[in-house]
Amino acid sequence: MNEPLDVLAVMAHPDDTELLCGGALIKSADRGRRTGAVDLSGGERGTRGSAEVRHREAERAAEVLGLSVRRGAGLPDAGIENDDESRTVVAGIIRELRPRVVVTHWPRGRHPDHRRAARLVYDACFLAGLTNFPAPGEAHRPSKVVHAAAYREDAGNPTFVVDVTDQMERKLEALGCYESQFEGKSQAGEVFPGGDRTLFDQIRAWCAACGSRIRAAYGEPFWTRETVEIEDLAELEVSTF
Amino acid sequence: MNEPLDVLAVMAHPDDTELLCGGALIKSADRGRRTGAVDLSGGERGTRGSAEVRHREAERAAEVLGLSVRRGAGLPDAGIENDDESRTVVAGIIRELRPRVVVTHWPRGRHPDHRRAARLVYDACFLAGLTNFPAPGEAHRPSKVVHAAAYREDAGNPTFVVDVTDQMERKLEALGCYESQFEGKSQAGEVFPGGDRTLFDQIRAWCAACGSRIRAAYGEPFWTRETVEIEDLAELEVSTF
Amino acid sequence: MNEPLDVLAVMAHPDDTELLCGGALIKSADRGRRTGAVDLSGGERGTRGSAEVRHREAERAAEVLGLSVRRGAGLPDAGIENDDESRTVVAGIIRELRPRVVVTHWPRGRHPDHRRAARLVYDACFLAGLTNFPAPGEAHRPSKVVHAAAYREDAGNPTFVVDVTDQMERKLEALGCYESQFEGKSQAGEVFPGGDRTLFDQIRAWCAACGSRIRAAYGEPFWTRETVEIEDLAELEVSTF
Amino acid sequence: MNEPLDVLAVMAHPDDTELLCGGALIKSADRGRRTGAVDLSGGERGTRGSAEVRHREAERAAEVLGLSVRRGAGLPDAGIENDDESRTVVAGIIRELRPRVVVTHWPRGRHPDHRRAARLVYDACFLAGLTNFPAPGEAHRPSKVVHAAAYREDAGNPTFVVDVTDQMERKLEALGCYESQFEGKSQAGEVFPGGDRTLFDQIRAWCAACGSRIRAAYGEPFWTRETVEIEDLAELEVSTF
Amino acid sequence: MNEPLDVLAVMAHPDDTELLCGGALIKSADRGRRTGAVDLSGGERGTRGSAEVRHREAERAAEVLGLSVRRGAGLPDAGIENDDESRTVVAGIIRELRPRVVVTHWPRGRHPDHRRAARLVYDACFLAGLTNFPAPGEAHRPSKVVHAAAYREDAGNPTFVVDVTDQMERKLEALGCYESQFEGKSQAGEVFPGGDRTLFDQIRAWCAACGSRIRAAYGEPFWTRETVEIEDLAELEVSTF
Amino acid sequence: MNEPLDVLAVMAHPDDTELLCGGALIKSADRGRRTGAVDLSGGERGTRGSAEVRHREAERAAEVLGLSVRRGAGLPDAGIENDDESRTVVAGIIRELRPRVVVTHWPRGRHPDHRRAARLVYDACFLAGLTNFPAPGEAHRPSKVVHAAAYREDAGNPTFVVDVTDQMERKLEALGCYESQFEGKSQAGEVFPGGDRTLFDQIRAWCAACGSRIRAAYGEPFWTRETVEIEDLAELEVSTF
């Protein structure tokens, strides 16, 4: 049986992981965690870059992120559905990789695939833990499903932010591996344009605004259904004033 | 100059501290933190128990809580105002006790004193940090103002919960010191009645429901304006399912 | 034609009815109403207990609840879908049982079946009332669809609470019929654990916290899209202070 | 000692009661309840009509509303404060009139007096129940404080609506007593204009839109902090579809 | 290639367009814009009026609205799904008609078709812009998707309101074309009844209440995910007081 | 009598205007509007810079902003109250300057003065329009009160954003006039720090993130109680995707 993963991102398209939680994944890896990524589709319907090109790019990016494993799930780009078949596929991968924390999309999204992926992943994580659910492998249920809220205009206040100041350059380096997608663009995935600002400058601006929530240079925001536990009031860090 | 405090509760009446954040204060003390409490008024307009009686009760409760300091601010019971004079009094105490984290009421409240105390304490914490603010002592601004959301029907989801399972009996023991107030009652402070259930059983039920948010036996909920920082996705504890 | 039902619970799995609205159903029956329950699936994919065992348990529980009718809908456990076929099945049952008020799950849920059931039931109630909708039976549309919000951490304030103080023991007795499911457990359905507390103690704690919203010992919370009508301001019961 | 009141409106200016909850007060009176109104100020700073004129108008309106008592509190128009002195005045009136349910403004408002009145009345109701609070009379605490949400654009969904279809004409008749205020106007109090529509047509439109929430011709909306209790699911009236 | 449309309504059933955004469409046409409507289904499962009758009615209404084009999409009434096939159909129509602004239902709705249509239309607008998405025609993505919030009790504050005072009579005239549907009714589509008030009076009351938000006689409310841009603070129209 | 102002900012301290709405004021001036600013206090309790220094800085900044008038109101720094005296002062200024649109703080704020200023200004705008309100000058009521939501972590989605891309450099130039305040700082007013980033870079990051909401390089966000009116659906600019 595989060594379990500490954190696994399951996103709709190659590059979504880097855009939405690349910094937090690098940070976990920096701290010795086993991390991974699953790209639900190969991005084969995108206007730029073939699926093969995107695949090679994803592999290079995986190295920058320090992932222990990166996997495609083979679901159709621009056609992800939260149906029984897809849930079985994803539950099988969850059972194989055995992550403790799963990160996926925010439940709403610009791209229909993002919205569906958010629910598909949540459902598959639950179902993977049912002994009698007919997916391959042995029952495993991740302890947590976390939703990446980066760039979402409608996400309200995040449940928490991860300081990615020391990971910011590598996050952008990982994104830079997707030359076929981002060359000369000012928007991608959930990143809306900010006038003519380049995509990378736009990402910097958003992560900066988000980092400010925890009084740090750069941050990535996340949302969870469940409440945060704090061990001790005296350990709280982010200043009120 | 005094040794600074790690956590200071500033509440409207004696016993509010115990009701709202007694468990979290005991927990901080258990971990070696210096904790304190300020009772803004002496509770002299309450129907039961003179101010002296409540004062003695508060001192006994302070021992159970393990407080390093407990102080009255001398503001009028059932007449707390967020005015310049009161802000100067509270800012002076803040400057003297030099807390890093201040806990106070939720910004709304059943008792008008609670609502006003929440704002008075927030404002005084800010103003205490202005060098030119004319309160006694040297400028000091707490790093955080935290609001205790326990028992509030309108508080929505808390920002975080502190597990007080191991502190629950001592929390109730501290409340038991206020015999004059609670003898035979089914409600107090923000605690609404649950039929004829005794006050202590009612508190147990609420802390149990709240603890369940972090999958623990008993919890106390808190709210902050500012976002929570989480160091590493892999360290998140509370289960989603 | 069947005598119409006053209240009908339509839930995903046997025992969901008892967990979520058992007290309110008993109360309606106590007042002479005709009540019923539909279990959309037989719970056959649960780790414990066969579908037959759960069926017998459901029948015993139905007696304790005082139901006039209990019915399975034969949808697949861990695979409930809100599709045309399922809507036709449920609409057919609605037309046959002719309920005035239907109770179902909260629109979000821990178990994917719960989320889907909430929408499936809402849709089927609407469609059952269209003369030309091709389900068996004569058009019937329930007057109300009510969602049970018990144990939901994300449900916000309920639209209303039903006092189930006098029904609490029977609610737990009905749950006790599901020995195969609950023996030695600390969580089930939407009930999250509260440390090691037993499932029944956990339910008591939640219903107690909820009852306190209407100043009663135990309560079950519900949510409706539509606004509540109150006949006369002078008849309002729950105290503000 | 006075016979207690079932419902008492406490509003900032003469005519606010009629505009905001006139229908519900008439309905309570129709059902044999004792109702009353307190006008916190005499409206002496309004552009039209002297305080005396408004006083006479208020008396005529009181008859139409069927009030058992109408009283002025003598606070300054356009200068209502929630201070100790005003709270003592209002608490004294509460103690004298002994209402069970108090209706006041929504906590936000177009007129600064409305916002302050909402908090002043809430606080005074609480304080009037403290034996040691130094207002005239014997301690009395209303069971409920209800806020009238009519015409508020920012009030969200009301907690409940009262059907005032059978009271609508008398509500308008009571408003018609304030000739000095409303003659030829298209707005007043919280009623924003709807183009050139007359004030009465505008009120009809709003009460019609609000009545539709309970599927009735005309309604008045209210908000309470505390949750509504419903006796029996089978008794719920407002249709979902 | 067709001349592009400025505004295109895509709604579930004939008459939804008139009910939800008829005034705004007339207003755009009055200002020289090219407008259109797509009826996703023919309303063939409605209790009254055959699909042919509704079709003829829709054509007459189109003339009153001043539409440049009206089209049916042939999806099944009471069975609209947001599936791959339907998205391909709608995306094909979007590519053919090339609208800049698309108006559809609010994301929740009384009729299941409304809820699904809202998401189907959003998704189809996105997908229509992907070069590689296999729908007929050349890639075209509308600049905006706007949701009509009229009559929705749960829609909260709209993002903006369009003043339809000068279009109100023609909106009702367009609705009057649907004799088969509305004759003698007091509700339709999202319009809930207001007692026995006729449908047209009910629509007037809602549009009046909504118009009052912008201080106009009649208005239609809309919601967008994205934020409104205002060119100049000095040009803001709606009064605060 | 003075020529009326199109837009008037009324803020607590010198430099708040520049931080919160400097870009929008420059833009209005660029379009030929008459703009102004009132600094409620002189900032005399700040740690840095005397009131005189700040006054001279404010004058230089006024030139950069292109203000027609800048005025101090003489209220005490770190002691702004929303009391009768202050309302009379501000209402008098409103009557003198006769603005059509007034911009002030968001109703919550880091600095207690900001929170109070937001309410004081709202109230004074209302009261200034009452003929009988005893402030100097003739009755004048601004048409709108707009709240600047920039940098507020808790402000949710703004009602609208103004594109200040072409004004950004001048906004920063105006801020640069306040050398005594900002030299070497990373935070000020509502601007929380983003690690060690300089204040100006931090402002750029926030205005960039905000501009992205309207797909522009830089934006300033605002909130109004009242709904936005849009003239024509076809004129909507900000893209959905």
Side-chain angles (χ1 to χ4, degrees):
Chain A
M1 193 177 279
N2 285 320
E3 195 180 341
L5 288 170
D6 293 299
V7 186
L8 175 67
V10 187
M11 301 285 182
H13 313 103
D15 68 45
D16 282 338
T17 290
E18 288 77 6
L19 280 165
L20 291 165
C21 62
L25 286 183
I26 297 172
K27 191 170 190 182
S28 288
D30 283 352
R31 299 163 69 96
R33 309 295 188 175
R34 272 179 56 83
T35 60
V38 173
D39 307 317
L40 292 173
S41 88
E44 67 275 9
R45 274 194 187 156
T47 314
R48 305 169 170 214
S50 64
E52 293 102 291
V53 167
R54 293 187 81 170
H55 178 68
R56 279 202 308 277
E57 292 171 341
E59 290 204 329
R60 283 209 304 275
E63 279 180 50
V64 180
L65 294 179
L67 301 180
S68 301
V69 57
R70 181 164 213 153
R71 182 77 55 88
L75 301 182
D77 183 20
I80 291 178
E81 294 286 349
N82 182 8
D83 55 18
D84 202 52
E85 196 181 327
S86 304
R87 285 191 292 269
T88 304
V89 168
V90 179
I93 297 176
I94 294 290
R95 285 178 172 187
E96 184 191 347
L97 299 181
R98 295 193 295 146
R100 202 179 78 77
V101 175
V102 166
V103 190
T104 187
H105 291 276
W106 172 254
R108 292 187 294 276
R110 175 153 64 159
H111 194 308
D113 280 354
H114 293 189
R115 188 178 78 235
R116 291 196 181 84
R119 294 178 186 197
L120 165 62
V121 171
Y122 176 89
D123 289 356
C125 286
F126 182 88
L127 296 171
L130 291 178
T131 306
N132 296 342
F133 185 77
E138 217 168 284
H140 171 84
R141 185 171 290 158
S143 171
K144 287 189 86 74
V145 177
V146 173
H147 297 268
Y151 321 115
R152 292 297 313 162
E153 304 173 332
D154 56 357
N157 285 358
T159 306
F160 60 86
V161 170
V162 174
D163 181 349
V164 298
T165 304
D166 294 342
Q167 290 75 33
M168 193 67 197
E169 296 312 311
R170 282 177 285 165
K171 174 190 171 89
L172 293 174
E173 185 190 339
L175 280 164
C177 298
Y178 295 92
E179 288 158 20
S180 73
Q181 298 306 303
F182 299 148
E183 188 77 30
K185 292 183 73 176
S186 64
Q187 57 180 300
E190 298 290 352
V191 187
F192 285 91
D196 300 327
R197 202 178 291 128
T198 71
L199 180 64
F200 279 27
D201 282 353
Q202 182 69 345
I203 292 169
R204 275 189 195 280
W206 263 96
C207 291
C210 187
S212 173
R213 286 183 172 272
I214 52 165
R215 324 306 180 216
Y218 295 107
E220 285 177 347
F222 297 92
W223 175 81
T224 61
R225 286 162 188 80
E226 58 275 12
T227 304
V228 168
E229 179 181 355
I230 292 293
E231 189 64 25
D232 181 355
L233 290 179
E235 283 166 9
L236 289 164
E237 282 303 328
V238 181
S239 70
T240 298
F241 301 107
Chain B
M1 195 177 278
N2 284 322
E3 197 180 340
L5 287 170
D6 293 297
V7 186
L8 175 67
V10 187
M11 300 286 181
H13 313 104
D15 69 47
D16 282 337
T17 291
E18 287 77 5
L19 281 164
L20 291 165
C21 62
L25 286 184
I26 297 172
K27 192 170 190 184
S28 289
D30 282 353
R31 298 161 70 93
R33 310 294 188 176
R34 273 178 55 84
T35 60
V38 172
D39 308 317
L40 292 173
S41 87
E44 65 275 10
R45 271 192 189 160
T47 315
R48 304 169 171 213
S50 62
E52 292 103 292
V53 167
R54 294 187 81 169
H55 179 68
R56 278 201 309 275
E57 293 171 342
E59 290 204 327
R60 284 208 304 275
E63 280 180 48
V64 180
L65 295 178
L67 302 180
S68 300
V69 57
R70 181 162 212 155
R71 183 73 57 88
L75 301 183
D77 183 21
I80 291 178
E81 296 286 348
N82 182 7
D83 56 17
D84 202 53
E85 196 182 326
S86 304
R87 286 191 293 269
T88 304
V89 166
V90 179
I93 297 175
I94 296 290
R95 286 178 170 186
E96 184 191 346
L97 300 180
R98 297 192 296 146
R100 201 179 79 76
V101 175
V102 166
V103 190
T104 186
H105 293 274
W106 173 253
R108 292 188 293 277
R110 176 152 65 160
H111 193 308
D113 281 354
H114 292 189
R115 187 177 80 234
R116 290 194 179 85
R119 296 180 183 194
L120 165 62
V121 170
Y122 177 88
D123 289 356
C125 286
F126 181 89
L127 296 171
L130 292 178
T131 307
N132 296 342
F133 186 76
E138 219 169 281
H140 171 86
R141 186 172 290 159
S143 170
K144 286 189 87 73
V145 177
V146 173
H147 297 268
Y151 321 114
R152 292 297 312 162
E153 304 173 332
D154 56 357
N157 285 358
T159 306
F160 61 84
V161 170
V162 174
D163 181 349
V164 298
T165 304
D166 294 341
Q167 290 74 34
M168 193 66 197
E169 297 312 311
R170 281 176 287 165
K171 175 190 170 89
L172 293 175
E173 184 190 339
L175 279 164
C177 298
Y178 294 91
E179 289 158 21
S180 74
Q181 298 304 305
F182 298 148
E183 187 77 30
K185 292 182 74 176
S186 65
Q187 58 179 301
E190 297 291 351
V191 186
F192 284 91
D196 301 328
R197 201 178 291 129
T198 69
L199 180 65
F200 279 27
D201 281 352
Q202 182 69 345
I203 292 169
R204 275 188 195 279
W206 264 96
C207 292
C210 187
S212 172
R213 286 182 172 272
I214 52 166
R215 323 307 179 214
Y218 295 106
E220 285 177 346
F222 297 91
W223 176 81
T224 60
R225 286 163 189 80
E226 59 275 10
T227 304
V228 168
E229 178 181 355
I230 293 293
E231 189 64 21
D232 180 357
L233 289 179
E235 283 167 8
L236 288 165
E237 283 303 330
V238 182
S239 70
T240 297
F241 301 107
Chain C
M1 193 177 279
N2 284 321
E3 194 180 342
L5 287 170
D6 293 299
V7 186
L8 175 68
V10 187
M11 301 284 182
H13 313 103
D15 68 45
D16 283 337
T17 290
E18 288 76 6
L19 281 165
L20 291 165
C21 61
L25 285 184
I26 297 172
K27 192 171 190 183
S28 289
D30 282 353
R31 298 162 69 94
R33 310 294 187 176
R34 272 178 56 84
T35 60
V38 173
D39 307 317
L40 291 173
S41 88
E44 66 275 9
R45 273 192 187 159
T47 315
R48 305 169 171 214
S50 63
E52 293 102 293
V53 166
R54 293 187 81 170
H55 178 69
R56 278 202 307 276
E57 292 171 342
E59 290 203 329
R60 283 209 303 275
E63 279 180 51
V64 180
L65 294 178
L67 301 180
S68 300
V69 57
R70 181 163 212 155
R71 183 76 55 88
L75 301 182
D77 183 20
I80 291 177
E81 296 285 349
N82 181 9
D83 55 18
D84 202 50
E85 196 183 325
S86 305
R87 285 191 294 269
T88 305
V89 168
V90 179
I93 297 176
I94 295 290
R95 286 178 172 186
E96 184 192 346
L97 299 181
R98 295 193 296 147
R100 202 179 77 77
V101 175
V102 166
V103 190
T104 187
H105 292 274
W106 172 255
R108 293 188 292 276
R110 176 152 66 158
H111 193 308
D113 281 354
H114 292 190
R115 187 177 78 235
R116 290 196 180 84
R119 295 180 185 195
L120 165 62
V121 172
Y122 176 88
D123 289 356
C125 286
F126 182 89
L127 296 171
L130 291 178
T131 306
N132 295 343
F133 186 75
E138 217 168 284
H140 171 85
R141 185 171 289 157
S143 170
K144 288 190 85 75
V145 177
V146 173
H147 298 267
Y151 321 115
R152 292 297 314 162
E153 304 173 332
D154 56 357
N157 286 358
T159 306
F160 60 85
V161 170
V162 174
D163 181 349
V164 298
T165 304
D166 295 342
Q167 289 75 33
M168 194 66 198
E169 296 313 311
R170 281 176 287 164
K171 173 189 171 89
L172 294 174
E173 185 191 338
L175 280 163
C177 297
Y178 294 92
E179 289 159 20
S180 73
Q181 297 306 302
F182 299 148
E183 187 77 31
K185 293 183 73 175
S186 64
Q187 57 179 300
E190 297 290 352
V191 187
F192 285 92
D196 301 326
R197 203 177 291 129
T198 70
L199 179 65
F200 279 27
D201 281 353
Q202 182 69 344
I203 292 169
R204 276 189 194 279
W206 262 96
C207 291
C210 187
S212 173
R213 285 182 174 273
I214 52 165
R215 323 308 179 214
Y218 295 107
E220 286 177 345
F222 297 91
W223 175 81
T224 61
R225 286 160 188 82
E226 59 275 10
T227 304
V228 168
E229 178 181 355
I230 292 293
E231 189 63 23
D232 181 356
L233 290 179
E235 283 166 9
L236 289 164
E237 282 304 328
V238 182
S239 69
T240 298
F241 301 107
Chain D
M1 194 178 279
N2 285 319
E3 196 180 340
L5 287 170
D6 292 298
V7 186
L8 175 68
V10 187
M11 300 285 182
H13 313 103
D15 69 47
D16 283 336
T17 290
E18 288 76 6
L19 281 165
L20 291 165
C21 62
L25 285 184
I26 296 172
K27 192 170 190 182
S28 289
D30 282 352
R31 298 161 71 93
R33 309 296 188 174
R34 273 177 56 83
T35 60
V38 173
D39 307 317
L40 291 173
S41 87
E44 67 275 10
R45 273 191 188 162
T47 314
R48 302 170 172 213
S50 62
E52 292 102 292
V53 167
R54 294 187 80 170
H55 178 68
R56 278 201 309 274
E57 293 171 341
E59 291 205 328
R60 283 208 304 275
E63 278 180 50
V64 181
L65 296 178
L67 301 180
S68 299
V69 56
R70 180 161 213 156
R71 181 77 56 88
L75 301 183
D77 183 21
I80 291 178
E81 296 286 349
N82 182 7
D83 56 18
D84 202 53
E85 196 182 325
S86 305
R87 286 191 292 269
T88 304
V89 167
V90 179
I93 296 175
I94 295 290
R95 286 179 171 185
E96 184 191 346
L97 298 180
R98 297 192 296 147
R100 201 178 80 75
V101 175
V102 166
V103 190
T104 186
H105 292 274
W106 172 255
R108 293 188 293 276
R110 176 153 65 158
H111 194 307
D113 281 354
H114 292 189
R115 187 177 79 235
R116 290 195 180 86
R119 298 181 183 193
L120 165 62
V121 171
Y122 176 88
D123 289 357
C125 286
F126 182 89
L127 296 171
L130 291 178
T131 306
N132 296 343
F133 186 76
E138 217 168 285
H140 171 85
R141 185 173 289 160
S143 170
K144 287 190 87 71
V145 177
V146 173
H147 297 268
Y151 321 114
R152 292 298 313 162
E153 305 174 331
D154 55 358
N157 285 358
T159 306
F160 61 85
V161 170
V162 174
D163 181 348
V164 298
T165 304
D166 294 342
Q167 289 75 32
M168 193 65 197
E169 297 313 310
R170 280 177 286 165
K171 174 189 171 88
L172 293 175
E173 184 190 340
L175 280 164
C177 298
Y178 295 91
E179 289 158 21
S180 73
Q181 298 306 303
F182 299 148
E183 187 78 29
K185 293 182 74 177
S186 65
Q187 57 179 301
E190 297 290 351
V191 187
F192 285 91
D196 301 327
R197 201 178 292 129
T198 69
L199 179 65
F200 279 26
D201 282 351
Q202 182 70 344
I203 292 169
R204 276 189 194 279
W206 263 97
C207 292
C210 187
S212 173
R213 286 181 172 273
I214 52 167
R215 322 310 179 215
Y218 295 106
E220 286 177 345
F222 297 91
W223 176 80
T224 60
R225 287 162 187 79
E226 59 275 11
T227 304
V228 167
E229 177 180 356
I230 292 293
E231 190 63 23
D232 181 356
L233 290 179
E235 283 167 10
L236 289 164
E237 282 303 329
V238 182
S239 69
T240 298
F241 301 106
Chain E
M1 194 176 277
N2 285 320
E3 195 181 341
L5 287 171
D6 293 298
V7 186
L8 175 67
V10 187
M11 301 285 180
H13 313 103
D15 69 45
D16 283 337
T17 291
E18 287 77 6
L19 281 166
L20 291 165
C21 62
L25 286 183
I26 298 172
K27 192 170 189 183
S28 289
D30 282 352
R31 298 160 70 95
R33 310 293 188 176
R34 272 178 56 84
T35 60
V38 172
D39 308 317
L40 293 173
S41 87
E44 67 275 10
R45 272 193 188 158
T47 314
R48 306 171 170 211
S50 64
E52 293 103 292
V53 168
R54 293 187 81 169
H55 178 68
R56 278 200 309 276
E57 294 171 341
E59 290 204 329
R60 283 208 305 275
E63 278 180 49
V64 181
L65 295 178
L67 302 180
S68 300
V69 57
R70 181 164 214 153
R71 184 76 55 88
L75 302 183
D77 183 21
I80 291 178
E81 296 286 347
N82 181 8
D83 56 18
D84 202 51
E85 196 182 326
S86 304
R87 285 191 293 269
T88 304
V89 168
V90 180
I93 297 176
I94 295 290
R95 286 178 171 187
E96 184 191 348
L97 299 180
R98 295 192 297 147
R100 202 179 78 76
V101 174
V102 166
V103 190
T104 187
H105 292 275
W106 172 254
R108 294 188 291 277
R110 176 153 64 158
H111 193 307
D113 280 354
H114 292 189
R115 187 177 79 235
R116 290 194 180 86
R119 294 177 187 196
L120 165 62
V121 171
Y122 176 89
D123 288 357
C125 286
F126 182 90
L127 297 170
L130 293 177
T131 306
N132 296 342
F133 186 76
E138 218 169 283
H140 170 85
R141 186 171 290 156
S143 170
K144 288 190 86 74
V145 178
V146 173
H147 297 267
Y151 321 114
R152 293 297 312 161
E153 305 174 331
D154 56 357
N157 285 359
T159 306
F160 61 85
V161 170
V162 174
D163 181 348
V164 298
T165 304
D166 294 342
Q167 289 75 31
M168 193 65 199
E169 296 313 310
R170 282 176 286 164
K171 174 187 171 91
L172 293 175
E173 185 191 339
L175 280 162
C177 297
Y178 295 92
E179 287 158 21
S180 74
Q181 298 304 304
F182 299 148
E183 188 76 30
K185 292 183 74 175
S186 65
Q187 59 179 300
E190 297 290 353
V191 186
F192 285 91
D196 301 326
R197 203 178 290 130
T198 69
L199 180 64
F200 279 26
D201 281 351
Q202 182 70 344
I203 292 168
R204 275 190 195 279
W206 264 97
C207 291
C210 187
S212 173
R213 286 182 172 273
I214 52 166
R215 324 304 180 219
Y218 295 106
E220 286 177 346
F222 298 92
W223 175 81
T224 61
R225 287 161 187 80
E226 58 276 10
T227 304
V228 168
E229 178 181 355
I230 292 293
E231 189 63 24
D232 180 356
L233 290 179
E235 282 166 9
L236 289 164
E237 281 304 328
V238 182
S239 69
T240 298
F241 300 107
Chain F
M1 195 178 277
N2 285 321
E3 197 181 339
L5 288 170
D6 293 298
V7 186
L8 175 68
V10 186
M11 301 284 182
H13 313 103
D15 68 47
D16 283 336
T17 290
E18 287 77 6
L19 281 164
L20 291 165
C21 62
L25 286 184
I26 297 173
K27 191 170 191 183
S28 289
D30 282 354
R31 299 162 69 95
R33 309 296 188 174
R34 274 178 54 85
T35 60
V38 172
D39 308 316
L40 292 173
S41 86
E44 66 274 10
R45 271 191 188 161
T47 315
R48 303 169 171 215
S50 63
E52 291 104 293
V53 167
R54 294 187 80 169
H55 177 70
R56 277 200 309 277
E57 292 171 342
E59 290 204 328
R60 283 208 305 276
E63 278 180 49
V64 179
L65 296 178
L67 301 180
S68 299
V69 56
R70 181 162 213 156
R71 183 76 56 87
L75 302 183
D77 182 21
I80 291 178
E81 296 285 350
N82 182 7
D83 56 18
D84 202 53
E85 196 181 327
S86 304
R87 286 190 293 269
T88 304
V89 167
V90 178
I93 297 175
I94 295 290
R95 287 179 170 185
E96 184 191 346
L97 299 180
R98 295 192 296 147
R100 201 178 79 76
V101 175
V102 166
V103 191
T104 186
H105 293 274
W106 173 255
R108 293 188 292 278
R110 176 153 65 158
H111 193 308
D113 280 354
H114 292 189
R115 188 177 79 234
R116 289 194 182 86
R119 297 182 182 192
L120 164 62
V121 170
Y122 176 89
D123 290 356
C125 286
F126 181 89
L127 296 171
L130 292 178
T131 307
N132 296 343
F133 185 76
E138 219 168 283
H140 171 84
R141 185 172 290 159
S143 171
K144 287 190 86 73
V145 177
V146 173
H147 297 267
Y151 320 115
R152 292 298 313 164
E153 305 173 331
D154 56 357
N157 285 358
T159 306
F160 61 85
V161 170
V162 174
D163 181 348
V164 298
T165 304
D166 294 342
Q167 290 74 33
M168 193 67 196
E169 296 313 310
R170 282 177 286 165
K171 174 189 171 91
L172 293 174
E173 184 191 340
L175 280 163
C177 298
Y178 295 91
E179 290 159 19
S180 73
Q181 298 305 303
F182 298 149
E183 187 78 30
K185 292 184 73 176
S186 64
Q187 58 179 300
E190 298 290 352
V191 187
F192 285 91
D196 301 327
R197 200 177 294 128
T198 70
L199 179 65
F200 278 26
D201 281 353
Q202 182 70 344
I203 292 169
R204 274 189 196 281
W206 264 96
C207 291
C210 186
S212 173
R213 285 181 173 273
I214 52 167
R215 321 309 179 215
Y218 295 107
E220 286 177 346
F222 297 91
W223 176 81
T224 61
R225 286 162 189 80
E226 59 276 10
T227 304
V228 168
E229 178 181 354
I230 293 293
E231 189 63 23
D232 181 355
L233 289 178
E235 283 166 10
L236 289 164
E237 283 303 329
V238 182
S239 69
T240 297
F241 301 106

